[in-house]
Amino acid sequence: GAVVSQHPSRVICKSGTSVKIECRSLDFQATTMFWYRQFPKQSLMLMATSNEGSKATYEQGVEKDKFLINHASLTLSTLTVTSAHPEDSSFYICSARYLGSYEQYFGPGTRLTVT
Amino acid sequence: AQSVAQPEDQVNVAEGNPLTVKCTYSVSGNPYLFWYVQYPNRGLQFLLKYITGDNLVKGSYGFEAEFNKSQTSFHLKKPSALVSDSALYFCAVRDDSNYQLIWGAGTKLIIKP
């Protein structure tokens, strides 16, 4: 149980375009979802926390207008990287938790490459 | 402020030998501690957690971790390492105020045949 999927697993886009990454909880209701960014050989950097039906809370230094997060349902959150640039290339990981759970359940990640 | 430290960037162990990956933490309340493993270009896989109870926690793939309150440590251990254990290991503590995870920097574990 507690499976989280991400789509796509890999995406290549051109500079200036936008790309959407989906995060789904497959067998539970995700009251809270988290979006992380991971640079090569580094730890996870929390970008934002989103509660279903509410606006996401962004961490300091993360541009809200560039990284649009939507958590419209209890099973789906999306991260849209707008006007992507090569420096946005990274590994993006989402996680989710349900009400009362101690842990977060992680998606498999999305490798974004901006050319 | 809550924090997690993984003092070793890399740990090298010969196959068949016991392994230890170190983690120390600092929290204001009760610690909820986690270990995750990440294989190349993959997401994180949960190994084990400590919430309360026995100090020795058993997890996936033969791993275990010992919670030591006096030393504020939560070291990950395995009695006999496998080459397939080679991966990146992260220790994390949960922030009770917002359910966020505070992450260690990660330790690269290399098991040599």
Side-chain angles (χ1 to χ4, degrees):
Chain A
V3 179
V4 175
S5 70
Q6 272 184 251
H7 178 79
S9 57
R10 291 177 177 270
V11 58
I12 301 173
C13 69
K14 292 186 176 180
S15 187
T17 62
S18 296
V19 61
K20 181 185 286 187
I21 302 170
E22 292 186 349
C23 177
R24 293 181 185 272
S25 58
L26 299 185
D27 52 3
F28 66 99
Q29 293 185 327
T31 49
T32 307
M33 285 186 165
F34 304 86
W35 285 96
Y36 295 88
R37 184 173 179 176
Q38 187 180 29
F39 293 100
K41 300 182 181 180
Q42 293 190 25
S43 189
L44 281 73
M45 183 193 79
L46 180 66
M47 298 174 67
T49 303
S50 73
N51 294 299
E52 185 266 338
S54 302
K55 288 185 178 180
T57 301
Y58 290 81
E59 295 300 301
Q60 193 172 6
V62 178
E63 298 176 60
K64 301 178 184 181
D65 296 331
K66 180 164 190 61
F67 298 99
L68 301 178
I69 291 172
N70 183 280
H71 190 172
S73 78
L74 283 171
T75 59
L76 174 64
S77 176
T78 59
L79 167 66
T80 302
V81 183
T82 62
S83 186
H85 289 100
E87 56 264 31
D88 298 325
S89 299
S90 193
F91 194 53
Y92 292 88
I93 304 174
C94 74
S95 70
R97 64 175 294 273
Y98 54 84
L99 191 63
S101 69
Y102 287 103
E103 62 189 271
Q104 296 177 22
Y105 302 92
F106 285 81
T110 297
R111 173 73 60 191
L112 170 64
T113 303
V114 184
T115 60
Chain B
Q2 302 190 102
S3 65
V4 175
Q6 291 181 244
E8 303 153 316
D9 290 337
Q10 183 170 308
V11 170
N12 297 300
V13 177
E15 186 177 26
N17 284 0
L19 69 88
T20 298
V21 183
K22 296 180 180 177
C23 172
T24 59
Y25 65 90
S26 174
V27 298
S28 54
N30 292 323
Y32 297 136
L33 297 155
F34 303 84
W35 274 103
Y36 288 87
V37 60
Q38 185 180 33
Y39 296 97
N41 296 309
R42 302 284 297 277
L44 274 73
Q45 295 180 31
F46 170 78
L47 282 178
L48 50 81
K49 66 177 181 280
Y50 173 82
I51 304 298
T52 186
D54 290 341
N55 290 341
L56 186 63
V57 179
K58 293 190 182 296
S60 306
Y61 312 120
F63 284 93
E64 58 189 27
E66 187 169 9
F67 172 66
N68 188 316
K69 189 173 183 179
S70 62
Q71 297 185 6
T72 61
S73 67
F74 190 55
H75 300 333
L76 181 70
K77 300 181 179 184
K78 186 172 183 180
S80 179
L82 299 173
V83 173
S84 57
D85 292 331
S86 299
L88 193 55
Y89 290 80
F90 291 100
C91 180
V93 64
R94 192 185 83 164
D95 184 331
D96 272 356
S97 66
N98 55 20
Y99 303 106
Q100 291 179 5
L101 289 174
I102 312 299
W103 295 90
T107 298
K108 186 176 183 179
L109 178 63
I110 298 177
I111 309 299
K112 297 184 177 179

